[in-house]
């Protein structure tokens, strides 16, 4: 009994803290910690304020200075933009509403009415001539559409009584024919291909020669070459073309001019040049295969054209491999 009382007194003395110094009490410790936190917070706040002040100072020195006229223009631009935004939004809403209304009309258009329209168009196209092209078909369908549109509008005004279109359907049909014909055509399965007609445009200046040497590779031929497209001249060979290639008609003509200038007295002087500009080669009635860039230098006292523009029908019958157009380019040198 005496031992338990001693233990009880000892434990009470321990809880009361009589053995612990007063400087380390719980309240004093709390005050110290709070003071330290306040000092740290003030230090951090001071650093943040200093950096913010420094940034604002630098920014104020680097900012762009605008003139009053520029500021006025910017304000005017902002005012116009704010005024235009509601209009654009209203226009966009109107367009969306119109599209939705048209789609709603397409959904409401009864299937029997669509089938009747399809049958009428089929009968219309069957009534055309068998050789009618797509242009005539488009014109016939467009004429039918306009007549049908007039009929539907008259029904909506109560002016037609013997039509197969019901008054309740006439308004929807009129809107579909007038504003939504492309989707209605798709719904009823109507498709007519576009007829493309190509016209050849002749932009050759008046008075110009039909020959255009710009289609030939190389430099422009000088006037003394007298170049003729789709032409083959005969004559005695001064230079054998099979072993005398040139990169262009210009070089072939120059070769003829140079040969005539430098020829010896006992040699024939070139006065005709014949060149093959076709990638697939050039036709000739002889046994040889004449290839691209062949350059024949010839001489004739009176130069005569062997073939010009197109080979005749009789020639092509005797030479089945001959093309329609003469592929050679030739010229008679001016003396």
């Amino acid at each position: 009994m005496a031992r338990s009382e001693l233990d009880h007194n000892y434990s009470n003395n321990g809880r009361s803290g009589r053995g612990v110094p007063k400087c380390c009490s719980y309240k004093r410790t709390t005050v110290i910690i709070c003071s330290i936190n306040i000092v740290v917070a003030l230090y951090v706040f001071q650093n943040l304020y200093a950096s913010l002040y420094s940034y604002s100072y630098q920014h104020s020195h680097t900012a762009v200075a605008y003139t009053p006229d520029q500021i006025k223009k910017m304000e005017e631009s902002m005012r116009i933009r704010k005024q235009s935004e509601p209009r654009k939004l209203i226009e966009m809403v109107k367009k969306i509403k119109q599209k939705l209304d048209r789609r709603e009309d397409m959904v409401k258009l009864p299937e029997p009415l669509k089938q009747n329209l399809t049958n009428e168009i089929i009968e219309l196209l069957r009534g055309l001539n068998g050789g009618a092209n797509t242009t005539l078909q488009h014109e016939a369908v467009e004429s039918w559409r306009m007549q049908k549109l007039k009929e539907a509008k008259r029904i909506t005004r109560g002016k037609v009584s013997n039509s197969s279109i019901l008054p309740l359907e006439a308004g929807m049909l009129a809107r579909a024919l007038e504003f939504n014909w492309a989707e209605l055509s798709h719904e009823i399965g109507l498709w007519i291909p576009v007829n493309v007609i190509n016209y050849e445009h002749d932009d050759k200046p008046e008075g110009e020669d039909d020959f255009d040497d710009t289609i030939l590779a190389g430099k422009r031929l000088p006037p003394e070459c007298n170049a003729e497209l789709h032409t083959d001249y005969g004559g005695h060979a001064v230079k054998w073309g099979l072993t005398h290639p040139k990169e262009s008609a210009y070089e072939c003509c120059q070769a003829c001019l140079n040969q005539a200038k430098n020829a010896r007295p006992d040699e024939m002087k070139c006065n005709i040049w014949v060149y093959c500009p076709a990638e697939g080669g050039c036709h000739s009635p002889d046994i040889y295969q004449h290839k691209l860039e062949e350059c024949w230098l010839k001489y004739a006292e009176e130069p005569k054209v062997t073939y010009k523009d197109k080979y005749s029908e009789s020639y092509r019958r005797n030479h089945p491999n001959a093309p329609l157009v003469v592929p050679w380019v030739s010229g008679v040198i001016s003396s």
Side-chain angles (χ1 to χ4, degrees):
M1 187 69 181
R3 184 179 178 85
S4 63
E5 289 178 358
L6 290 173
D7 293 340
H8 179 71
N9 292 332
Y10 176 78
S11 63
N12 287 336
N13 293 334
R15 283 195 300 270
S16 62
R18 272 183 268 184
V20 181
K22 293 182 178 180
C23 64
C24 295
S25 64
Y26 176 76
K27 292 182 178 180
R28 190 179 296 273
T29 304
T30 303
V31 171
I32 293 172
I33 293 173
C34 290
S35 300
I36 294 172
N37 289 338
I38 292 172
V39 172
V40 173
L42 290 173
Y43 178 75
V44 173
F45 177 75
Q46 182 181 5
N47 290 336
L48 290 176
Y49 180 77
S51 62
L52 182 62
Y53 176 79
S54 175
Y55 172 76
S56 62
Y57 176 79
Q58 294 176 1
H59 182 70
S60 63
H61 281 71
T62 57
V64 179
Y66 294 99
T67 62
D69 188 33
Q70 291 175 334
I71 294 174
K72 186 177 180 181
K73 289 182 179 179
M74 286 189 288
E75 291 176 351
E76 182 69 16
S77 176
M78 293 175 64
R79 185 182 63 80
I80 294 173
R81 187 181 302 132
K82 288 181 180 179
Q83 290 179 353
S84 63
E85 285 178 356
R87 295 179 183 176
K88 292 181 179 179
L89 183 60
I90 293 172
E91 292 177 357
M92 187 181 300
V93 171
K94 287 182 179 180
K95 289 181 180 180
I96 294 174
K97 187 176 181 301
Q98 290 176 356
K99 289 183 179 180
L100 291 176
D101 291 341
R102 292 173 186 175
R103 290 185 179 180
E104 186 177 356
D105 289 342
M106 289 300 300
V107 173
K108 291 181 180 178
L109 208 61
E111 289 297 329
L113 179 58
K114 293 180 183 179
Q115 187 62 41
N116 291 337
L117 297 177
T118 303
N119 294 336
E120 289 184 17
I121 293 175
I122 291 174
E123 291 298 326
L124 173 68
L125 296 177
R126 284 178 179 174
L128 298 177
N129 295 329
N133 56 24
T134 55
T135 301
L136 296 177
Q137 294 175 3
H138 275 288
E139 291 177 355
V141 173
E142 182 64 18
S143 176
W144 170 88
R145 183 179 74 89
M146 298 306 297
Q147 292 178 1
K148 208 70 178 176
L149 177 60
K150 291 180 181 178
E151 180 183 355
K153 287 184 176 180
R154 292 180 65 186
I155 294 173
T156 56
R157 294 193 294 265
K159 294 184 178 180
V160 178
S161 59
N162 57 350
S163 175
S164 60
I165 303 174
L166 299 177
L168 295 176
E169 301 172 350
M172 294 184 293
L173 179 59
R175 287 192 293 272
L177 289 172
E178 186 172 6
F179 302 109
N180 210 19
W181 172 239
E183 289 190 14
L184 179 59
S185 301
H186 179 73
E187 288 286 333
I188 64 178
L190 175 64
W191 180 79
I192 302 175
V194 178
N195 188 29
V196 179
I197 302 176
N198 296 319
Y199 296 96
E200 184 178 355
H201 177 64
D202 184 11
D203 57 352
K204 181 176 67 66
E206 186 177 356
E208 286 288 330
D209 191 3
D210 288 338
F211 173 70
D212 185 6
D213 60 357
T214 58
I215 64 173
L216 296 174
K219 297 180 180 180
R220 179 179 292 274
L221 293 163
E224 57 268 22
C225 291
N226 298 311
E228 298 179 51
L229 192 64
H230 307 304
T231 305
D232 185 9
Y233 276 87
H236 301 285
V238 178
K239 279 287 185 180
W240 196 253
L242 297 175
T243 58
H244 186 242
K246 294 296 179 181
E247 292 185 358
S248 64
Y250 173 85
E251 293 185 5
C252 184
C253 175
Q254 288 296 321
C256 183
L257 292 172
N258 293 335
Q259 194 278 336
K261 182 178 180 181
N262 300 320
R264 295 192 301 270
D266 58 339
E267 288 184 334
M268 291 186 297
K269 293 184 179 181
C270 176
N271 64 346
I272 300 171
W273 60 273
V274 182
Y275 181 75
C276 177
E279 293 185 1
C282 295
H283 170 77
S284 184
D286 54 34
I287 61 174
Y288 303 105
Q289 292 184 353
H290 301 277
K291 299 180 180 180
L292 171 67
E293 297 182 351
E294 278 190 18
C295 175
W296 290 79
L297 306 185
K298 300 181 180 181
Y299 168 77
E301 291 185 3
E302 297 180 0
K304 294 182 180 180
V305 173
T306 307
Y307 304 104
K308 181 73 173 178
D309 294 333
K310 297 179 180 180
Y311 293 109
S312 64
E313 293 184 3
S314 60
Y315 179 87
R316 295 180 65 201
R317 282 196 299 267
N318 296 329
H319 301 83
N321 295 327
L324 177 63
V325 179
V326 178
W328 297 93
V329 179
S330 305
V332 177
I333 301 300
S334 299
S335 57

